[in-house]
């Protein structure tokens, strides 16, 4: 569980991974996670948070949908501070579940969402 307070005067936010499921034989897709985000006491569940990893990097991304024009779009748009907290929480859940593991030569950098990649975790 991770607590985030992006604007100290306005909101309290808590992020928890409530489930992570390993996905096998799906290329770089390693897992799907469900995350609970509580904004000032109001609960929201985000299902289908994707964890993609290979031997070089790990990426966590929010759910997407296919628009009428055929493009893929974000199903939910959140501030970077909340996306970072979701990413950190999901990576921690993946490590705890044994779906991801740390690279020995670099521990400490964190993985972020929406295309930013971290070399520190891989499946």
């Amino acid at each position: 569980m991770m607590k985030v307070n992006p604007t100290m005067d306005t909101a309290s936010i808590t992020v928890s991974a409530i489930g992570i499921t390993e996905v096998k034989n799906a290329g770089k897709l390693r897992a799907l996670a469900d995350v609970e985000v509580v904004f000032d006491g109001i609960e929201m569940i985000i299902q289908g948070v994707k964890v993609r990893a290979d031997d070089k990097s790990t990426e966590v991304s929010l759910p997407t949908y296919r628009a009428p024009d055929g493009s893929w779009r974000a199903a939910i748009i959140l501030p970077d501070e909340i996306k970072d907290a979701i990413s950190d929480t999901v990576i921690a859940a993946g490590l705890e579940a044994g779906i991801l593991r740390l690279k020995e030569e670099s521990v400490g950098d964190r993985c972020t969402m929406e295309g930013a990649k971290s070399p520190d975790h891989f499946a």
Side-chain angles (χ1 to χ4, degrees):
M1 180 187 308
M2 192 168 269
K3 291 187 180 256
V4 177
N5 201 346
T7 54
M8 297 293 280
D9 297 333
T10 60
S12 170
I13 300 168
T14 303
V15 177
S16 305
I18 56 176
I20 187 162
T21 304
E22 186 171 14
V23 177
K24 297 194 184 257
N25 302 319
K28 288 177 117 180
L29 182 64
R30 296 290 186 243
L32 293 171
D34 296 335
V35 176
E36 177 185 68
V37 181
V38 180
F39 298 91
D40 272 343
I42 299 170
E43 281 183 38
M44 177 176 70
I45 305 292
I46 303 172
Q47 297 178 314
V49 176
K50 297 174 193 144
V51 181
R52 290 185 177 88
D54 59 20
D55 60 346
K56 296 179 183 170
S57 65
T58 299
E59 177 182 306
V60 175
S61 59
L62 293 171
T64 56
Y65 71 96
R66 189 176 296 270
D69 67 2
S71 65
W72 287 98
R73 296 192 183 162
I76 185 169
I77 298 172
L78 297 170
D80 288 341
E81 296 89 353
I82 297 171
K83 290 190 296 186
D84 289 347
I86 290 170
S87 180
D88 291 346
T89 300
V90 169
I91 292 294
L95 290 167
E96 186 176 324
I99 297 168
L100 301 173
R101 57 189 169 103
L102 289 174
K103 279 187 172 183
E104 290 181 25
E105 62 271 11
S106 61
V107 176
D109 292 337
R110 62 173 225 244
C111 180
T112 59
M113 299 187 76
E114 306 300 333
K117 297 183 183 196
S118 170
D120 296 332
H121 308 91
F122 62 92

